[in-house]
Amino acid sequence: MTLETIHRRLVVVMALSALLAFAVGAGFSPLPVILAALALTAAFFRQPRPETVESIERIMVPLALLLAVRVILEATLFRGDVVVPVVDLLLLLLCTEVLRSEDAGNDARLYALTFALILASTAYRPGALFALSFLLFLGLGSVALSVGLLRRKSERFGGPEPVLDRSFAVTSVGITSAILVSAIVVFVAFPRVSRSWSGRGEVFATPIVGFSDRISLGQHGATLRSNPSVVLRVEFPEGPPEPVSDLRWRGRSYDAFDGVEWTRSEPTRPARAPVSWYRQRWPDSVVTQTIHAAPLDVPVVFGLHPLHLVDPQVPISPMMDDVGDWFFWGSNQQPSYTSISGALPPSPDELRAASGAFYPDRTRYLQLPELPERIVHLADSLTAPYDTRYDQVAAVHRFFVSNFGYTRELPATARETSIDHFLFERREGHCEYFSSAMVVLLRAAGIEARNVNGFLGGRWNAFGDFLSVTQNEAHSWVEVWFPGYGWVEWDPTPPGSTAGAAASAWWFPGRQWLDGLTHRWNQWVLEYDLGLQLDLFGRLGALFGDDPAGTTGGGVPRAIWWGLAGGIVLVVVGARAVGPAGRRLRPESRAWRAFARAARRAGLVEDELVTSGVVTPGVLLVRIADARPEALPAARRFAALYEETRFGDREPRGEDRARLRAAFAEAKRALS
C-alpha cells in the first residue's frame, strides 16, 4: 500500500471520527449525516475514476451554492439555527474533497474541513462520546500529518518511499500523548470566566414521553414504547432515602380536565404564599438532592414533594408558582440544582384530624366535564361509608390498587379511551388512566384533587454513585388537598407495575458505566467553572503542600511546582522516546543480532562481540566455516539477504523482509 493511499484513508477515518463527534451531539440532520458517512466509507475502500469525479463535481458545485444561500438566509432572514446548515455545507465539501484523486494536493483543505466539523460539534452540548471521538480524531490527525509530511518530502527530494515501521508508531503515539496532556493542562489551568456551558439549550430540547404541559388519554391502537434516555441524575449528599424505587420526582400539576386532556387552566404566576409554608406544617425532616437534569421542553424544577428550597448550580432562577409548582428562568441547557424536600409526610392520624378554614380554588380543583351517572354513583358508594377525608381518599385508592391491572397496551379505539370505559369495562391501563380516574372520582365526591406528573424511582448507578432516572420512569399520580397540610401525594397505580419498563432500559451491560462516565463528563468538563477550578487547586495544594494553604515560602502553591516538575519529566521522556536514543532497530538489524546471539550460544563468537554489536557477516561466516561447515550454506544465504536488505540501494519492501525472516529461521535451525 502506497503512502498516498495510507494518507487518504487516514484522512477519511479522521472525517468519520469528526462526523461521529457531531452526530453524538444534538440537533443534527439524519439524512445528510448518513449520506456523508456512506460517501466517506466508499472513499475509504476505493477512489472513483477521474471521469466519475468530474461528474460528481458538476453536481456538487450547484448544491454547495444552494447550501451557502441557505446558510445566509438562516442567519439573516429566518434567524434560526445556523450550525446545522453550515455542517451540511461542510459535509458536502468534505465528501467532494475525499473523492478527488490521491495526488490532487488538497491535504490542507481536507485538514481544514475535518477540523471545522469537529469545531462545529462543540456548538452543541458535547457528551462523553464526543470525548472518545475527539481522542480518535487527535490520534488519527497526528499520524495523518506525519504520513502526509513524509509523502511530500519523499516526492520533493526523489528518495525511496519511507517505511512506516514500529519507530514511526512509537513517535506518533508520543506526539499524540504530548498534545493531549498539553490540552488537559491548558483546560484545567486556564482561568474560568463563566459558571456554565454556554451551549445551544433551547433549540434542541429533549422530548420527554409522558411529560409535557398536558396529559392526554386520547391515544389508542398502539403500545407505549420504552425509551431509556436519561433525564435526571440525582445525587444524595447525605445518603439516599430507602427505597429509591418509591421516590416520586414531581414535575407539574394539572387542574383542568375536558374528558380527554389535562391542562393548566391559568398561566404560570409567582407564588403569593411563602416557600416555607410546607416546612412549617409537615414533620421536621428533610432530604437533600442534587439534580442534574436534561434540557426539557418545559422549564420544570424537579424534586421530592414537598419542595422547600432550590439552590441553583448553574445560572438559572428557580421560583415557585401560585399552585405550588417549581419552575425556573434562564437557559435550560443542563439545569443543575440542589433541592431540599420534606422527607416524611404527615401520618394517617394527623391527616384524619386535618382541619382548617383554607381550601384551594374549588372552581379549579372540583371542575369536571359532564360525566356518566354511573361514575358519580361509584364515587358516592366508595366514599359514603367514611366520615373523614383521609378515609374517603384511602377507600378510592384501595379500589384501584385491588381491582385494576396495569398495561402498556393502549385502548383499541377512540371510544375505549374514556374514563368511563376504563372504570367499568377495560379495568386496566397505564398510570395516566389511574391518576385521571382517581381525581375524577374524588372530585365527584367533593374532594379537591389534581393530576400530577413527573418520574417514579430510578436505578442506582454504583459506578457513579447516583440515581439515574430515564424516560421509562415517566409517571402520573394524584395530589389531594388536606386543610392545614396542603397537597398530599397518592398513587393509585398498582405497585411494581412499571418495573418491567424500567428494567428494559438497562439491558445493555455497559450502560451503567457509560451513564456514570457521562455524568462525570458533565460535571468536570462541561460544568467546569471557577469554583471547581479553585477547589481542584486547593485539593492539589493540600495534597502536596506542608502548610494548610499548600504554598511555598514565596506564596506559590506547591501543586504548581509539582506540575512543572512533572511537565519537565514528561518532555525529557518524550524527547528520548522520539529521539535517537529511543529509536528502535530496523527489522533486518534485529534479525542479525538475533542470529549473532544464536551463534554465541553455539560457541562460535564471544559474549563481548555480541554485546558490543560488532559481529560482522564476514567474521561470523569464517567462524561458521571453521566450526560448523554444514551450517555455512544457510548462513551465507541469510547474510547475503541481510546485507542486501540493510544496505541496498532501495528501501526494503514487505516481501524482502519476508524472505529475510525465512532465511533467518533456516540459518538459526542449522546452528542449533
Side-chain angles (χ1 to χ4, degrees):
M1 189 184 299
T2 63
L3 281 181
E4 289 85 353
T5 302
I6 294 174
H7 178 260
R8 181 53 57 92
R9 290 187 174 182
L10 284 170
V11 173
V12 169
V13 180
M14 278 177 61
L16 286 170
S17 65
L19 184 62
L20 177 63
F22 182 77
V24 297
F28 69 93
S29 302
L31 182 60
V33 169
I34 293 173
L35 292 177
L38 292 175
L40 291 172
T41 304
F44 179 86
F45 292 103
R46 186 176 180 180
Q47 292 297 127
R49 294 191 299 270
E51 54 270 21
T52 305
V53 174
E54 292 179 2
S55 301
I56 293 174
E57 289 182 351
R58 283 195 293 270
I59 299 173
M60 295 295 194
V61 169
L63 282 177
L65 292 175
L66 287 175
L67 289 175
V69 172
R70 176 191 172 197
V71 171
I72 296 173
L73 291 176
E74 198 71 48
T76 57
L77 183 61
F78 301 120
R79 300 290 182 179
D81 177 32
V82 75
V83 175
V84 171
V86 167
V87 169
D88 291 344
L89 179 60
L90 279 177
L91 293 175
L92 181 69
L93 297 176
L94 182 59
C95 291
T96 304
E97 291 297 333
V98 298
L99 291 174
R100 294 181 187 273
S101 173
E102 293 175 354
D103 56 357
N106 59 344
D107 293 1
R109 293 194 294 274
L110 287 171
Y111 296 144
L113 289 170
T114 54
F115 180 74
L117 187 56
I118 275 282
L119 193 62
S121 65
T122 63
Y124 300 99
R125 187 177 182 87
L129 290 178
F130 166 84
L132 301 178
S133 304
F134 179 75
L135 289 177
L136 179 62
F137 177 86
L138 183 62
L140 291 169
S142 301
V143 177
L145 286 169
S146 301
V147 172
L149 178 62
L150 288 174
R151 179 174 66 87
R152 289 192 298 273
K153 294 298 183 182
S154 176
E155 293 173 351
R156 178 179 178 183
F157 296 105
E161 188 173 274
V163 177
L164 306 182
D165 54 12
R166 187 177 299 178
S167 63
F168 175 82
V170 172
T171 302
S172 299
V173 171
I175 293 174
T176 303
S177 301
I179 295 174
L180 179 61
V181 170
S182 301
I184 293 174
V185 170
V186 170
F187 173 80
V188 171
F190 196 80
R192 303 289 114 179
V193 295
S194 65
R195 293 194 61 191
S196 179
W197 172 260
S198 57
R200 313 169 65 82
E202 301 192 9
V203 177
F204 297 99
T206 305
I208 304 302
V209 175
F211 188 89
S212 65
D213 268 343
R214 60 190 63 223
I215 296 175
S216 177
L217 303 180
Q219 296 176 320
H220 57 86
T223 302
L224 293 177
R225 301 297 181 185
S226 297
N227 189 340
S229 300
V230 177
V231 291
L232 300 177
R233 295 182 178 91
V234 187
E235 297 174 333
F236 299 91
E238 301 166 2
E242 295 292 342
V244 294
S245 59
D246 291 342
L247 300 179
R248 291 177 180 82
W249 306 104
R250 187 188 187 281
R252 279 201 161 181
S253 64
Y254 307 92
D255 61 284
F257 185 53
D258 62 4
V260 177
E261 287 187 339
W262 287 92
T263 56
R264 296 163 63 89
S265 60
E266 294 184 8
T268 299
R269 296 180 299 183
R272 293 186 291 269
V275 295
S276 60
W277 192 89
Y278 279 103
R279 177 175 287 182
Q280 297 169 358
R281 289 162 173 80
W282 284 44
D284 188 16
S285 178
V286 298
V287 57
T288 303
Q289 322 117 61
T290 299
I291 298 177
H292 307 274
L296 309 181
D297 292 327
V298 185
V300 174
V301 173
F302 291 92
L304 303 177
H305 180 73
L307 191 53
H308 297 331
L309 178 67
V310 177
D311 180 21
Q313 308 298 315
V314 295
I316 60 174
S317 299
M319 187 178 299
M320 188 176 73
D321 65 16
D322 61 344
V323 297
D325 297 348
W326 284 79
F327 64 99
F328 64 86
W329 299 101
S331 171
N332 66 343
Q333 181 67 35
Q334 196 74 21
S336 298
Y337 44 87
T338 297
S339 298
I340 299 178
S341 306
L344 299 174
S347 67
D349 289 339
E350 290 174 323
L351 293 177
R352 284 189 179 95
S355 62
F358 176 74
Y359 284 85
D361 186 353
R362 297 193 175 192
T363 61
R364 296 176 62 179
Y365 296 109
L366 292 179
Q367 172 270 330
L368 284 173
E370 185 176 351
L371 298 175
E373 193 67 27
R374 60 179 179 174
I375 293 182
V376 178
H377 290 162
L378 176 61
D380 289 340
S381 66
L382 291 173
T383 58
Y386 303 98
D387 297 329
T388 68
R389 175 173 291 226
Y390 175 86
D391 290 318
Q392 291 173 340
V393 176
V396 176
H397 180 264
R398 284 194 304 271
F399 170 71
F400 288 106
V401 172
S402 303
N403 301 291
F404 285 70
Y406 181 88
T407 180
R408 302 179 74 195
E409 296 288 336
L410 296 175
T413 65
R415 186 188 67 82
E416 296 176 359
T417 61
S418 68
I419 293 294
D420 180 74
H421 189 274
F422 169 73
L423 284 172
F424 296 101
E425 297 182 41
R426 193 162 190 251
R427 300 178 74 88
E428 64 176 10
H430 53 75
C431 59
E432 293 176 354
Y433 276 96
F434 284 95
S435 61
S436 299
M438 183 172 178
V439 173
V440 167
L441 290 179
L442 291 175
R443 289 186 177 186
I447 299 174
E448 294 83 359
R450 62 186 183 184
N451 210 337
V452 175
N453 69 352
F455 300 94
L456 171 64
R459 187 179 181 92
W460 188 257
N461 189 309
F463 176 79
D465 201 27
F466 62 90
L467 185 72
S468 184
V469 183
T470 70
Q471 289 188 0
N472 281 326
E473 279 83 43
H475 193 57
S476 294
W477 58 95
V478 177
E479 286 182 350
V480 181
W481 182 266
F482 285 86
Y485 292 101
W487 296 104
V488 179
E489 294 179 331
W490 293 79
D491 192 346
T493 304
S497 57
T498 58
S504 65
W506 294 91
W507 63 270
F508 177 52
R511 184 173 181 83
Q512 281 207 10
W513 179 86
L514 181 60
D515 190 40
L517 179 64
T518 301
H519 183 49
R520 297 308 177 204
W521 167 268
N522 291 340
Q523 282 187 303
W524 291 100
V525 178
L526 299 186
E527 302 298 339
Y528 182 70
D529 57 9
L530 182 61
L532 282 176
Q533 188 179 40
L534 294 176
D535 180 64
L536 177 61
F537 279 111
R539 293 183 183 182
L540 290 175
L543 180 63
F544 296 110
D546 295 329
D547 57 284
T551 58
T552 61
V556 179
R558 291 186 181 275
I560 300 297
W561 294 114
W562 279 99
L564 290 175
I568 294 172
V569 171
L570 181 65
V571 170
V572 172
V573 172
R576 290 184 61 84
V578 302
R583 291 176 184 163
R584 294 183 177 270
L585 293 174
R586 293 164 61 98
E588 51 269 22
S589 298
R590 292 199 302 272
W592 179 256
R593 288 199 175 187
F595 185 64
R597 290 194 295 271
R600 180 193 61 188
R601 290 192 294 271
L604 301 178
V605 293
E606 296 79 11
D607 291 345
E608 293 79 9
L609 292 177
V610 176
T611 304
S612 61
V614 295
V615 181
T616 63
V619 171
L620 188 52
L621 290 177
V622 169
R623 301 282 183 92
I624 293 174
D626 291 340
R628 300 286 297 276
E630 72 280 3
L632 185 60
R636 279 179 175 170
R637 284 193 296 273
F638 172 63
L641 282 173
Y642 162 67
E643 290 182 330
E644 177 185 346
T645 306
R646 179 67 180 86
F647 304 106
D649 294 335
R650 64 177 179 84
E651 190 69 22
R653 302 183 184 276
E655 55 269 22
D656 298 329
R657 291 198 170 105
R659 287 197 301 270
L660 180 67
R661 288 194 297 271
F664 164 71
E666 181 183 358
K668 186 178 178 182
R669 283 196 302 270
L671 287 180
S672 60

